[in-house]
Amino acid sequence: MLQVAINGYGTIGKRVADAVRQQPDMEVLGVAKTRPNFEAETAIEKGFALYAAVEEREELFAEAGLEIAGPVEDLVADADVVVDATPSGIGAQNKELYEEYDTPALYQGGEDADLTDVSFNARSNFEDAVDADHVRVVSCNTTGLSRVIAPLREAYGVEKVRATLVRRGGDPGQTSRGPINDILPNPVTIPSHHGPDVETIFTDLDIDTLGMKVPATLMHMHSLNVTLEEEVDAADVRELFADESRLFLIPERMDIDGSGKLKEYALDAGRPRGDIWENCIWEESVSTVGRDCYLFQGIHQESDVVPENVDAVRAVTGAADAEESIETTNETLGIGF
């Protein structure tokens, strides 16, 4: 059993911990927090060993009545791989710790691409991360774009991608984020960081991205225009997407017209936390005009990278190939509505 450490038990870390626990070839060795809060208490209630990420704050856990298993250094030393799910920029600070104990580490998309050996998306470049020491699991938006681009490149070839990303202002629990009553070009310059980030997965891809922020918390929304290398019928593109396990084609009959109903559907379907690990593509939005393909997709920013982290664990440890890992992750998490 692969012993997996989770350094950072917040929005992503707690979801990755739950996902790792469901894998037949992995165990959660422990999770690390910088301070006691409701998530730290929940971790202990779930039976995860809790470690202190900051030595100077160990006494805060005792004062809160939370028993810790030790410092984060002990957790890293004993782990086969570390998933760093700390806030952007902290992973870079933690890299020296992981190198000290010679423990392979996964970082999240908020870190700079040049921090690691490779940027990772399971569908697109799993093999590039095999036996790597430091791997960056790309962001929620880059994950969503990569999952669509990969099959289009393989089936038809891609000449150009143009994507407009309408991004949520913050996650539901991020009370300090905004905007509250505004629509922001973010950034106002072109491209947004998402295009160059996708190019860390597809190094020869021509892609332009624009970003916006809106007063919403549920999901991101992408508007895509992909110029293909050949003319193709929209029905063929829909069929191509239907064969992709992490793309959910929303049928018109379901009357899901936005993020709110998508989240409601996920909750009704029994998804933990209402998570949606798949890209959600409105089937009727998939259209073609000549070589241009158009679509709308929703991306659940809190969860679409979770299965990617699980697959990355197997990649860096050489525990499985891409097909086997993706199949196992999908089956254990219940991916596919």
Side-chain angles (χ1 to χ4, degrees):
M1 298 286 279
L2 294 171
Q3 301 298 306
V4 182
I6 314 290
N7 190 6
Y9 191 77
T11 299
I12 300 300
K14 63 188 179 185
R15 287 171 162 84
V16 172
D18 288 347
V20 167
R21 172 174 272 179
Q22 295 180 66
Q23 305 310 304
D25 54 349
M26 303 180 193
E27 289 181 345
V28 178
L29 183 62
V31 304
K33 288 285 291 180
T34 59
R35 61 187 176 87
N37 65 359
F38 74 94
E39 288 165 329
E41 292 196 16
T42 302
I44 290 177
E45 290 172 1
K46 289 188 172 185
F48 295 131
L50 180 65
Y51 290 76
V54 181
E55 183 179 0
E56 295 77 13
R57 299 181 186 174
E58 287 187 19
E59 69 275 5
L60 297 179
F61 291 91
E63 292 171 2
L66 300 179
E67 182 179 354
I68 60 171
V72 68
E73 289 81 2
D74 291 351
L75 177 62
V76 172
D78 293 338
D80 294 317
V81 61
V82 178
V83 178
D84 187 297
T86 59
S88 300
I90 305 300
Q93 299 175 28
N94 290 336
K95 184 178 182 181
E96 185 178 350
L97 169 66
Y98 307 142
E99 290 180 329
E100 178 182 352
Y101 291 97
D102 196 26
T103 304
L106 311 180
Y107 305 82
Q108 304 310 303
E111 303 299 331
D112 291 337
D114 59 7
L115 176 71
T116 62
D117 305 319
V118 62
S119 293
F120 178 87
N121 172 255
R123 174 61 178 83
S124 308
N125 69 337
F126 185 101
E127 291 76 13
D128 291 347
V130 173
D131 295 329
D133 292 324
H134 300 277
V135 171
R136 172 177 168 265
V137 177
V138 292
S139 72
C140 51
N141 282 310
T142 303
T143 293
L145 291 169
S146 298
R147 287 175 178 171
V148 167
I149 292 168
L152 289 175
R153 277 168 60 98
E154 293 167 6
Y156 311 116
V158 169
E159 180 179 302
K160 175 80 175 183
V161 178
R162 303 169 184 85
T164 300
L165 296 85
V166 183
R167 300 154 61 206
R168 57 86 179 105
D171 293 339
Q174 292 176 316
T175 54
S176 62
R177 296 283 292 269
I180 295 174
N181 184 28
D182 208 346
I183 299 173
L184 306 178
N186 183 261
V188 71
T189 55
I190 297 170
S192 67
H193 71 272
H194 308 93
D197 200 31
V198 173
E199 289 172 338
T200 67
I201 301 293
F202 307 103
T203 56
D204 60 344
L205 182 69
D206 186 2
I207 178 171
D208 292 334
T209 54
L210 298 84
M212 303 168 61
K213 275 191 175 182
V214 297
T217 63
L218 297 180
M219 298 178 72
H220 301 303
M221 188 73 67
H222 295 176
S223 171
L224 267 67
N225 165 211
V226 182
T227 301
L228 305 171
E229 292 181 352
E230 61 183 82
E231 292 192 12
V232 61
D233 190 81
D236 294 329
V237 177
R238 295 187 192 112
E239 185 175 343
L240 176 73
F241 288 161
D243 288 337
E244 293 290 320
S245 62
R246 293 180 183 174
L247 302 182
F248 169 43
L249 281 179
I250 307 168
E252 187 174 1
R253 69 174 188 276
M254 296 187 75
D255 192 30
I256 294 176
D257 58 5
S259 300
K261 286 185 179 177
L262 266 175
K263 287 288 288 180
E264 188 77 5
Y265 174 53
L267 288 164
D268 287 350
R271 288 289 182 90
R273 303 184 180 91
D275 284 348
I276 306 174
W277 304 293
E278 306 90 342
N279 294 28
C280 299
I281 301 173
W282 275 267
E283 186 172 23
E284 67 265 37
S285 78
V286 179
S287 309
T288 56
V289 179
R291 293 189 295 118
D292 284 313
C293 176
Y294 301 88
L295 62 90
F296 286 112
Q297 66 174 0
I299 302 296
H300 186 217
Q301 74 281 353
E302 296 178 290
S303 67
D304 78 329
V305 301
V306 171
E308 306 295 326
N309 275 271
V310 174
D311 292 328
V313 169
R314 294 195 182 95
V316 300
T317 58
D321 61 21
E323 183 178 359
E324 181 184 358
S325 180
I326 291 171
E327 182 179 348
T328 301
T329 303
N330 289 351
E331 182 178 350
T332 54
L333 296 187
I335 290 177
F337 281 113

